[in-house]
Every structure is written in C-alpha cells, then in structure tokens.
Amino acid sequence: VKMFCYFNVRIENEPNNYALYDSMPLFDAYNSAVSDPYFLSDVSGQASYAYRLFSGGSYYQDETLRLSASAYYPKEMYGCVRYLIDGVPAGESDCAPYPFDLPLAGISPGVHTLAVQYLSSEGTAVIERAFEFTVLENIKVILDGVQVTFPDQRPIIVDGRTLVPIRGVFEQMGMQVEWLSGEEKVVLRDEERRISLAIGSNTLAVEQNGAVGTYTMDVPAQVIGERTMVPLRAVAQAADAWVDWDGTASTVIIGTK
C-alpha cells in the first residue's frame, strides 16, 4: 500500500456516512496512519514515461511497440487482454495496464491489423478494438563504406524505389542542398553540376557544362513526415555516383570514388 484514498464526505439520503470528521476516533486513526513516512505526502516531479493513444501509423522493423490497454467490462473482475496481429494471437496480459511488447522484426513490411480483445473470466472476447498500422522496412544507406545516419525521417520505399531526406546523403557527398519554398523545388549543387526537382514531379533536371538534361524518375519527390524525400538512385546517379542494392541486408550502397 502506497496511498490511502478516502471519500471523506457525507451524502444526503445515503445510509453510510463516509465523513472522517464525524468520527474523531476514525479521524485520529486515519491521520496517524498517513503520518508514517512510508506513505507519500505529495506527488511531484515528472514520470519516467507517459501513455499516448494508439491510432495506427507507421513503424520500422527494428522497433518494438510497447502496448497497454485500458479495459473494463461490467461485473468482470478477473478478465485479461489478448493482442492479435492479423487475427493471430500474439500475446496476453491479465493484470492492468495489460502491458505487451510487440517486436516488429518478425512482421513483414506492409499494412497489418492489430486487434485488442478483453476476455471474460470464461475466456470469451466481450470487447474488441482493431487498428491498422504499417510496418516499414529498415533500410540502411552506405556511402563510400560509411553508413549514413538519419536523425529524424528514415529512408522509405515507395513503389519499389528508395526515397531519402534531401539532407544527409547528398550533403555527405559534398553537395549543397537548397529548398526553394516558393517553387516547392529542391536544388543540389556541386562544382560541376546543378540538379533540380520539384515536389510531385517525375522530372529531374541536370545542368552541367552549359547544357541541360532532363530525366524521368519512376517516383516523384514528395513530402513525407514533414520532410522532403527524393528518389535516391535517380539523384545519386545524376550526381555521377554508382548505386547498388543489397536486398538480403536491405541496404543501398553508393560509391563516389
């Protein structure tokens, strides 16, 4: 026991009197009990973690979802919560807040369904809620033998093509990156060329030695997670780098030397 919680109130027409102040022996006993330093006298500071509502979303394969549930069903005192992925039971918890860790490493990339059931003491599902969520492949990018770090938005595959944030890979390649907000256009420059591409357009333009060439990309540059994402292979090759894909390791390998 770490806390006493008491009504301390008298309710009109209620046969039971819960007011501490109406019974001095009870009042004294309560005050004596709570004066023990074992019990908390106040709640201050900040918790080491907090709960947030799960509403789906996208998660990478190297992540683990830490799930819990707020569950109640009338007259059910000893139920438990079952978690299912695509209809297959993945785990159960019989004690509130019904925690369950779901590693995503064993779940294939794509859209999946998480179902949460509250089971009665007889094992019957009396409440169920379901959510769709997306598992993303954990893609690594190696540039000249060094892995590129992505502090916020990671690479993502769209229609079979790897998209990366405009900053990170290309700045590590020695290019200057510029965002033209009025035109919703990305411009990358180095000593030899100027590469430009607009959000939503499949066209990439390269200016080099006074000549301009245009190329069609399989997927356009786009905004994902509030970050501008561009097709990695198309832009890297336009910058005269070679690009390879290691499917077994989900790794893009880029060479500039």
Side-chain angles (χ1 to χ4, degrees), residues 174-176 189-194 208-209:
M175 306 193 76
Q176 296 180 350
R189 309 171 189 267
D190 60 16
E191 295 179 354
E192 300 180 10
R193 60 187 65 79
R194 178 183 187 271
Q208 188 172 8
N209 298 325

Side-chain angles (χ1 to χ4, degrees), residues 47-150:
S48 58
Y49 65 93
Y51 295 99
R52 62 185 178 91
L53 185 65
F54 182 82
S55 56
S58 298
Y59 305 89
Y60 288 89
Q61 282 184 305
D62 61 351
E63 293 184 88
T64 295
L65 297 185
R66 308 206 70 181
L67 304 171
S68 63
S70 175
Y72 168 76
Y73 191 78
K75 300 182 180 181
E76 281 293 340
M77 298 294 293
Y78 303 104
C80 74
V81 169
R82 174 188 293 162
Y83 297 90
L84 305 93
I85 303 299
D86 299 328
V88 179
E92 292 184 5
S93 178
D94 59 4
C95 184
Y98 309 104
F100 174 63
D101 286 353
L102 175 63
L104 301 182
I107 301 178
S108 61
V111 179
H112 297 272
T113 300
L114 166 67
V116 186
Q117 298 176 337
Y118 183 68
L119 307 181
S120 68
S121 53
E122 288 78 27
T124 303
V126 292
I127 303 175
E128 178 173 336
R129 290 197 63 185
F131 311 85
E132 281 195 348
F133 69 103
T134 302
V135 176
L136 304 174
E137 194 169 355
N138 184 34
I139 303 166
K140 293 184 290 185
V141 177
I142 306 295
L143 173 61
D144 293 330
V146 178
Q147 183 171 341
V148 180
T149 59
F150 299 94

Side-chain angles (χ1 to χ4, degrees), residues 142-215:
I142 306 295
L143 173 61
D144 293 330
V146 178
Q147 183 171 341
V148 180
T149 59
F150 299 94
D152 40 34
Q153 177 64 52
R154 298 200 231 174
I156 187 172
I157 292 180
V158 176
D159 295 334
R161 294 291 179 265
T162 301
L163 273 64
V164 297
I166 56 172
R167 303 189 185 276
V169 176
F170 304 109
E171 288 181 333
Q172 197 164 315
M173 289 174 61
M175 306 193 76
Q176 296 180 350
V177 179
E178 183 181 5
W179 167 248
L180 306 180
S181 58
E183 304 176 52
E184 290 198 322
K185 180 182 291 186
V186 179
V187 176
L188 302 99
R189 309 171 189 267
D190 60 16
E191 295 179 354
E192 300 180 10
R193 60 187 65 79
R194 178 183 187 271
I195 302 171
S196 60
L197 56 166
I199 297 297
S201 173
N202 289 71
T203 301
L204 178 148
V206 181
E207 299 178 30
Q208 188 172 8
N209 298 325
V212 179
T214 58
Y215 305 89

